[in-house]
Amino acid sequence: MDEQGAREAEPGRRDRKKAATRSTLLRTATRMFAERGYQDTTVKDIAAAAGVTERTFFRYFPSKEDLVFAEILDFVPLVQREILRRPADEPPVTAVLHSLLAAAAGVDGGLAVLVVGAPPRALSGQARRTHVLTDFEDGITAALTERFAGLDPEEPSHRRALRASVLARSSVAAVRSALLVHTHGEAETGAPGDAANGSRGAAEAGSAEVEGFGALLQDAFDVLRWPER
C-alpha cells in the first residue's frame, strides 16, 4: 500500500479500534455489574478490567450511568429488527415481548442489558433518563408502525401511528414497571453482588437476578395482554 492509501485507510482503522474499545468497556461493565452490583463497581474497576485507563473510559462515557444508558440505546435497534421479524399473526404486545427476549438472547449477558447495573429508580424522571426512555419508546413505535403498514397497508396512517405509539409506550411502561418492582425487591433483600459472597456466589446471584427479572417481565406483559384479570 502506498503512502496515500495508508493515509486513507487510517481513519477506518481508528474507527474500528474505537468501536472495539467501546464494546469492550460495555461488555466488561455488564459482567462486573452482574458479579459485584452496580453500586460496588467503580469506573476505575471497569477501566482496569478492560485494560484501559480511567481517562480513556471518560473519552467514551461521561459517567458510569451514561455507560448503562448507552447499553440500553444500543439494544433498541436489535429489538426493532426482531419486531419486524415476528410472525404476522402474533399480537403486537406479544411481538414486542418476544422481540425483547430474542434481542437479549443475542447479546452478552442476555437480559442483563436491562437489569444488571440499572441505576436506582431505573429509568425514572431525571432528564437524562427521560431522554433514554423516550428513545426506547420511539424506537419501538417506529418498528410497530412499519410492521402495521406491512400487515394492513389500507389502515389510515393517523390510526396506525396512534396504535403503534400507544402499544409501544405501554410496552416500555411494562418493562419499566418490572424494573422498578425488581429494584424495590432487591433493595429489601440485599444486593445480589455482595462481595462477601465471593465472586462465584455473586455471579450465581447475578444470574438468578436476571432470571427473576425475566419472570417479572413476563408478568408485566401479561397485565397488558389480559387487563381484565
Side-chain angles (χ1 to χ4, degrees):
M1 182 182 296
D2 59 24
E3 184 177 345
Q4 181 178 352
R7 285 199 303 270
E8 291 174 351
E10 185 60 29
R13 285 197 294 268
R14 285 200 300 267
D15 289 345
R16 288 193 295 273
K17 183 176 179 181
K18 288 168 64 176
T21 300
R22 183 180 185 277
S23 178
T24 297
L25 285 167
L26 288 169
R27 288 198 311 271
T28 301
T30 297
R31 173 177 57 79
M32 297 185 77
F33 292 153
E35 292 175 353
R36 304 183 184 187
Y38 176 81
Q39 300 292 352
D40 293 330
T41 303
T42 67
V43 168
K44 182 177 181 181
D45 295 333
I46 296 168
V52 300
T53 64
E54 288 183 73
R55 183 177 178 180
T56 296
F57 177 98
F58 288 119
R59 285 207 295 265
Y60 290 86
F61 306 104
S63 68
K64 184 173 67 171
E65 188 175 64
D66 280 286
L67 180 147
V68 173
F69 292 147
E71 282 192 300
I72 295 172
L73 292 177
D74 286 354
F75 185 61
V76 173
L78 305 180
V79 177
Q80 290 178 299
R81 182 182 64 194
E82 294 297 336
I83 288 172
L84 297 175
R85 291 176 172 177
R86 298 305 305 171
D89 60 350
E90 190 169 62
V93 169
T94 301
V96 173
L97 172 60
H98 289 169
S99 296
L100 286 166
L101 297 174
V107 299
D108 291 340
L111 282 173
V113 70
L114 290 176
V115 63
V116 174
R121 302 175 304 282
L123 298 181
S124 64
Q126 294 183 14
R128 181 72 177 99
R129 294 172 183 176
T130 300
H131 170 68
V132 173
L133 181 64
T134 300
D135 283 355
F136 201 178
E137 292 173 339
D138 289 348
I140 294 178
T141 298
L144 285 177
T145 300
E146 184 175 346
R147 175 182 170 86
F148 294 158
L151 295 175
D152 184 5
E154 301 303 317
E155 181 180 22
S157 59
H158 69 278
R159 174 175 170 76
R160 180 188 304 141
L162 178 62
R163 196 155 62 97
S165 180
V166 170
L167 291 169
R169 295 178 205 289
S170 298
S171 296
V172 174
V175 174
R176 183 173 175 236
S177 296
L179 280 168
L180 289 169
V181 170
H182 175 82
T183 302
H184 179 70
E186 181 182 282
E188 290 184 342
T189 59
D194 189 337
N197 293 329
S199 60
R200 181 178 176 183
E204 291 174 351
S207 177
E209 178 190 12
V210 173
E211 290 179 9
F213 172 70
L216 280 174
L217 191 62
Q218 296 271 4
D219 289 345
F221 273 81
D222 281 347
V223 173
L224 293 182
R225 288 181 290 189
W226 294 288
E228 300 301 324
R229 274 187 167 183

